[in-house]
Amino acid sequence: MSGIQVQGLAKRFGARTAVEGLTFDVRPGEVFGLLGPNGAGKTTTVRMLTGLLQPSEGEATVWGCSARTQGEQLRRAVGLLTEQPGLYDRLSARENLRFFMKLHELDEAVAWPRAQAYLERFGLAGRESDACGSFSKGMRQKLAIVRTLVHDPKVIFLDEPTSGLDPESARTVRDAVEELAAEGRTIVLCSHNLAEVERLCSRVAIIQGRLLALAPLGELRRAGHALDIRVDGDAGRFLPTLAALPFAPNVMHEGGRLKVMLGDDTQAPEVLACLVGAGARVHSAVPSHRPLEEVYLELIRQGRA
């Protein structure tokens, strides 16, 4: 069985419960988002799924390997990019990669050409002999991604993969993630960059010690209603008027645009009547999906309640 299957996964450190009762699956070739605030248990979950930490309860199977009993085989099957690159500054890029090849007991004649292809893709060709200590943060991040892929893993865990990268390099990484998924690899993306999550992920799990939501992105964003309204002039002047409505909608504004979050579609006429009554000249009012950020923050607030 390939992909990832998680059933009732929990981890406790003494009296503290880091994660509890996590159940989800990730399909082969899927880019799956694992989201949550700092301290929500994302890193603990990834450490269990990569065989670095034993679960307290439950079971997880990653590419057919048990996270409980097959840690060594599991670590050979997965690639892990941590938030900190974990490279050796005094070693060159080539020496760093060869060191990790030896850890994975790879045939260098096979693995090195693969590494060179990734170095070329990420703009590091020609820098193989330079010490990592001389690299910028973005260059170190790209080298760490190459290291993550050098053993040709079937399942890849990426923690903030575009952190520290300029826009062009970040796009290169995002394109690479999509290409890796198209090859049938399973990818778990942990990121606070929700725009990146919306572009790359088909489904997401939002956790805060426990599972708060598990759904396709489109379904998650439809879990609420929004009204995109365009008015004459600065839309911000109508915020106090909207705040006085009985259901006090959450509102975002920019220039002449208002995005009003609704509890349900029946509130839309009342919002429009309120604006017209306050003197707004409304050019358009279009139902729209809620931004992922809005849904995410609402779920986190509910999880803390």
Side-chain angles (χ1 to χ4, degrees):
M1 185 179 292
S2 54
I4 301 172
Q5 295 79 39
V6 177
Q7 184 65 45
L9 201 64
K11 183 62 183 179
R12 289 183 288 276
F13 298 95
R16 184 176 71 87
T17 300
V19 294
E20 183 171 15
L22 294 185
T23 297
F24 61 87
D25 68 283
V26 186
R27 297 183 285 267
E30 181 177 19
V31 183
F32 183 86
L34 184 61
L35 312 181
N38 293 331
K42 301 188 302 297
T43 299
T44 298
T45 301
V46 169
R47 290 181 68 192
M48 288 190 284
L49 296 181
T50 52
L52 299 175
L53 197 62
Q54 275 284 313
S56 301
E57 291 178 10
E59 182 59 86
T61 305
V62 180
W63 208 259
C65 300
S66 168
R68 281 189 174 277
T69 62
Q70 296 177 289
E72 185 174 344
Q73 297 96 310
L74 179 55
R75 286 187 287 275
R76 291 179 185 275
V78 304
L80 172 61
L81 175 71
T82 58
E83 195 168 359
Q84 300 299 323
L87 300 166
Y88 296 96
D89 285 352
R90 294 186 180 181
L91 298 183
S92 68
R94 180 184 292 106
E95 289 168 336
N96 266 282
L97 292 175
R98 283 178 170 166
F99 172 73
F100 287 103
M101 289 176 193
K102 289 180 180 179
L103 286 182
H104 285 287
E105 299 179 348
L106 301 177
D107 180 348
E108 190 173 320
V110 175
W112 182 247
R114 181 164 55 237
Q116 285 182 307
Y118 283 121
L119 289 169
E120 179 74 32
R121 174 184 287 186
F122 294 120
L124 294 175
R127 302 297 301 269
E128 296 91 340
S129 299
D130 295 351
C132 283
S134 68
F135 283 9
S136 67
K137 180 180 179 182
M139 291 172 65
R140 291 169 63 85
Q141 182 75 352
K142 288 189 282 187
L143 182 61
I145 295 171
V146 176
R147 180 206 65 199
T148 301
L149 301 174
V150 75
H151 61 297
D152 199 25
K154 304 301 182 185
V155 180
I156 304 167
F157 294 86
L158 301 174
D159 191 353
E160 302 291 349
T162 58
S163 175
L165 300 184
D166 60 78
E168 183 178 4
S169 297
R171 173 177 287 184
T172 299
V173 171
R174 289 192 293 268
D175 289 345
V177 169
E178 292 176 330
E179 290 167 14
L180 290 165
E183 294 171 3
R185 302 176 202 263
T186 304
I187 299 174
V188 176
L189 174 66
C190 300
S191 178
H192 294 299
N193 185 338
L194 297 184
E196 187 167 86
V197 170
E198 286 193 90
R199 169 176 167 175
L200 293 174
C201 298
S202 57
R203 292 188 302 146
V204 298
I206 300 176
I207 68 172
Q208 192 169 22
R210 57 187 176 84
L211 189 64
L212 301 181
L214 171 64
L217 265 176
E219 180 181 315
L220 193 64
R221 293 177 67 206
R222 286 193 298 271
H225 307 263
L227 196 60
D228 200 342
I229 304 171
R230 295 188 179 276
V231 299
D232 262 352
D234 178 20
R237 69 186 189 275
F238 298 110
L239 294 182
T241 301
L242 293 172
L245 284 167
F247 47 89
N250 188 10
V251 182
M252 295 186 292
H253 79 285
E254 181 179 356
R257 180 188 174 200
L258 290 162
K259 196 172 190 74
V260 185
M261 310 308 165
L262 307 175
D264 58 67
D265 285 337
T266 64
Q267 295 173 348
E270 194 169 348
V271 168
L272 293 173
C274 176
L275 288 171
V276 172
R281 184 174 181 181
V282 178
H283 290 284
S284 63
V286 182
S288 66
H289 292 317
R290 299 174 69 188
L292 177 60
E293 178 181 6
E294 178 69 23
V295 178
Y296 169 83
L297 291 174
E298 182 176 302
L299 286 167
I300 295 301
R301 285 193 294 268
Q302 291 173 356
R304 288 172 177 163

